[in-house]
Amino acid sequence: MFRRTKIVATVGPASAQPETLRQLIAAGVNVFRLNFSHGSAADHQQVAAHIREAARAEQRIVALLGDLQGPKIRIARFSAGSIQLSPGARFCLDTALDKDAGDITQVGVDYPQLADDCDVGDTLLLNDGLIALQIREIRGSRIDCEVITGGVLSNNKGINRKGGGLTAAALTVKDLADITLAADMDLDYLALSLPRNAEDVTRARQRYREAGGEGGIIAKIERAEAVADEATLDAIILASDGVMVARGDLAVEIGDAELVGVQKQIIQRARALDRFVITATQMMESMISSPQPTRAEVSDVANAVLDGTDAVMLSGETAVGDYPVVTVAAMHRIILGAERSWQQRGFASQRQPETLSAIDESIAMAAMYVANHLSGVKAIITMTETGATPKLMSRIRSGMPIFAFTPHPRTQRRVSIYRGVETMAFDSESVPNSRINGEAVSQLLALGLVEAGDRILITKGDYDRAHGGTNTLKIVTAGEDVR
């Protein structure tokens, strides 16, 4: 069965070896994530080279995604390494305290503006929300708190303000260096951590282009401000090429009870606004140490698929887990199970006809309508330069495989994250106009992807008049004299 939803896997110590990378690709990984929060530039460059070599060996197209660390606000360090906080105890966060002087009563913070961003009564969440502190008094650099939810607190744990509102800039000095690294590595996508608004995304794109980067920008939705209202969320989505539902920090800031509804909203809005969406964080967390997922994890992955996410992402499961290849195979199996109940024909789009403003958009919509209503259609071929037309097609619910034929390796890699899209190397300029359609269909026939008698939809530009612009839709039958 054709798998539509894509798999993103994070590379780490458990998966960076060339043979493991080959096994991950064979198991179904479409995109590899390089986490710039860990490792050196040389480490990332070496891993990228290994991934590209593994993809060539497996004769598969995979994309590379670099993930910026962003302004992660952290406490400093304890002289004893960790402490035990008890509910009701007093504890101080001090931005002026020596970085190694933390003890049972206080700890330093690496964010000088924390006191300015907070008010008495605010709740600060540490260690991914496991520890909760309520602010009782603010005195200069010192934030005196009462422990609401206690536990073990160790060095360098993150801090979030419940409800958001911390003003740290989205791009740090380290991020700017990593943007240059991503450009030098020719990564296909760059993920921006903790953007507050569309301006943060635009600024990151500008910096990336100035550095020579040509990849797409992914906005990670993980701040409460980003989902505070639909206008802000829509603006962030429109400023990006795709978004990631980064459920870790997002859940801490908005609360677990709100997360599921917000996740569904982000997926729905991304699809409606013609952007791709990745669902991430703790999708198969138990498989870091277990060869089998929990039933809750199976449901979590399946529900993201049913909601229409383009991709699901593995983090620690493949970066540091004991079963990286087994985990990818399990995710592949779960996705197929979910898609069997979802891929029913029927035109489902968030768009209204009056909103169409471009010819390629109209052709993409028309092709998907025909695919979902004309009997005998088994595949869609779209000739593309940039990947724009297959992306538009992938926004519309269908069980039909979309084959993006392109001569450009960069376009092949970029479309590999779009839901339902597979890519084929095809240089239409080397084929006479009268034979382009026939050659493309023959390629699918030779690979066993269609059979004689199947109907196939073909979209492309009218090369006599508008090279590079999709403005033609044709219906052909495999095995006949296709022109």
Side-chain angles (χ1 to χ4, degrees):
M1 181 179 171
F2 176 72
R3 174 165 61 83
R4 302 178 64 76
T5 308
K6 305 305 179 68
I7 296 175
V8 182
T10 303
V11 184
S15 52
Q17 294 71 33
E19 182 55 34
T20 305
L21 292 169
R22 284 194 63 170
Q23 292 174 10
L24 289 168
I25 293 170
V29 172
N30 305 102
V31 181
F32 283 100
R33 170 179 174 251
L34 307 178
N35 187 356
F36 288 154
S37 297
H38 307 286
S40 66
D43 292 335
H44 294 306
Q45 289 167 332
Q46 183 179 57
V47 168
H50 288 329
I51 291 170
R52 285 165 174 152
E53 178 56 36
R56 283 191 292 268
E58 291 295 316
Q59 297 183 315
R60 296 281 298 277
I61 301 297
V62 298
L64 290 177
L65 184 163
D67 195 337
L68 298 176
Q69 177 175 290
K72 187 72 172 180
I73 300 169
R74 299 180 184 275
I75 62 170
R77 296 176 291 276
F78 297 97
S79 57
S82 65
I83 60 169
Q84 175 75 43
L85 290 176
S86 301
R90 287 301 184 103
F91 188 70
C92 178
L93 302 173
D94 189 347
T95 61
L97 189 69
D98 182 81
K99 300 305 181 186
D100 294 300
D103 58 28
I104 193 65
T105 65
Q106 61 184 351
V107 71
V109 178
D110 66 2
Y111 178 54
Q113 291 78 39
L114 184 61
D116 296 329
D117 287 351
C118 297
D119 295 305
V120 172
D122 286 352
T123 299
L124 296 178
L125 302 164
L126 283 66
N127 194 16
D128 290 332
L130 297 179
I131 291 175
L133 309 176
Q134 188 168 57
I135 298 175
R136 295 304 187 193
E137 186 179 3
I138 298 175
R139 295 175 293 137
S141 65
R142 295 178 62 83
I143 304 170
D144 293 317
C145 305
E146 179 183 346
V147 179
I148 305 302
T149 304
V152 175
L153 182 61
S154 57
N155 296 339
N156 303 314
K157 295 303 181 183
I159 302 174
N160 295 83
R161 178 178 177 270
K162 188 173 182 179
L166 299 182
T167 60
L171 290 175
T172 66
V173 172
K174 173 176 168 51
D175 292 336
L176 294 176
D178 287 336
I179 283 174
T180 299
L181 173 63
D184 291 342
M185 293 170 63
D186 192 24
L187 298 186
D188 303 293
Y189 290 103
L190 183 68
L192 174 65
S193 294
L194 298 161
R196 295 162 298 181
N197 48 46
E199 288 72 25
D200 285 341
V201 183
T202 301
R203 192 173 302 113
R205 186 187 299 277
Q206 180 181 353
R207 291 279 191 164
Y208 193 35
R209 295 294 180 257
E210 289 172 352
E214 297 185 37
I217 298 292
I218 298 172
K220 295 170 66 178
I221 309 299
E222 48 191 339
R223 272 182 161 165
E225 296 95 319
V227 296
D229 57 77
E230 188 168 285
T232 299
L233 176 61
D234 281 4
I236 291 173
I237 293 171
L238 287 169
S240 67
D241 295 282
V243 296
M244 181 188 296
V245 189
R247 303 184 300 180
D249 281 317
L250 183 60
V252 171
E253 292 212 356
I254 67 174
D256 291 338
E258 304 297 324
L259 179 63
V260 173
V262 170
Q263 173 179 314
K264 290 177 180 293
Q265 179 193 18
I266 295 169
I267 293 173
Q268 186 270 328
R269 294 309 299 159
R271 290 175 57 79
L273 297 172
D274 292 333
R275 302 298 190 266
F276 65 83
V277 55
I278 304 167
T279 305
T281 314
Q282 295 182 331
M283 301 219 76
M284 310 274 275
E285 184 86 352
S286 74
M287 292 194 74
I288 290 176
S289 58
S290 169
Q292 293 288 338
T294 67
R295 297 298 177 263
E297 289 166 342
V298 171
S299 294
D300 184 32
V301 173
N303 275 305
V305 172
L306 294 172
D307 286 339
T309 192
D310 286 82
V312 284
M313 191 175 96
L314 297 165
S315 299
E317 301 95 331
T318 52
V320 297
D322 294 334
Y323 306 97
V325 178
V326 173
T327 302
V328 171
M331 182 167 269
H332 172 82
R333 183 176 67 249
I334 294 164
I335 292 170
L336 288 179
E339 290 178 346
R340 271 193 290 272
S341 65
W342 184 62
Q343 294 183 52
Q344 303 298 320
R345 287 192 176 202
F347 193 67
S349 174
Q350 303 295 331
R351 292 179 159 274
Q352 298 299 319
E354 60 267 28
T355 66
L356 294 174
S357 59
I359 293 173
D360 60 346
E361 195 174 11
S362 302
I363 293 295
M365 292 281 285
M368 298 310 293
Y369 186 90
V370 173
N372 281 327
H373 289 83
L374 179 64
S375 64
V377 176
K378 299 298 183 183
I380 301 164
I381 293 173
T382 174
M383 311 286 183
T384 184
E385 294 285 315
T386 65
T389 303
K391 181 182 74 172
L392 290 167
M393 291 177 174
S394 71
R395 302 306 84 200
I396 299 170
R397 176 171 167 171
S398 167
M400 209 63 55
I402 302 165
F403 294 103
F405 279 60
T406 181
H408 307 299
R410 180 175 283 116
T411 299
Q412 283 196 283
R413 296 193 301 269
R414 288 191 68 174
V415 304
S416 65
I417 203 168
Y418 302 156
R419 183 185 62 86
V421 176
E422 293 293 325
T423 183
M424 299 281 176
F426 187 80
D427 185 4
S428 58
E429 291 189 355
S430 66
V431 181
N433 282 351
S434 61
R435 291 176 48 201
I436 288 174
N437 292 343
E439 290 291 328
V441 172
S442 295
Q443 193 164 323
L444 294 188
L445 280 167
L447 293 170
L449 298 172
V450 296
E451 299 177 353
D454 290 344
R455 282 177 169 163
I456 301 170
L457 306 183
I458 300 176
T459 69
K460 62 178 184 178
D462 183 341
Y463 293 96
D464 291 327
R465 293 182 285 109
H467 180 75
T470 298
N471 62 1
T472 304
L473 168 63
K474 190 166 187 177
I475 305 169
V476 301
T477 301
E480 296 182 357
D481 184 16
V482 175
R483 297 283 179 176

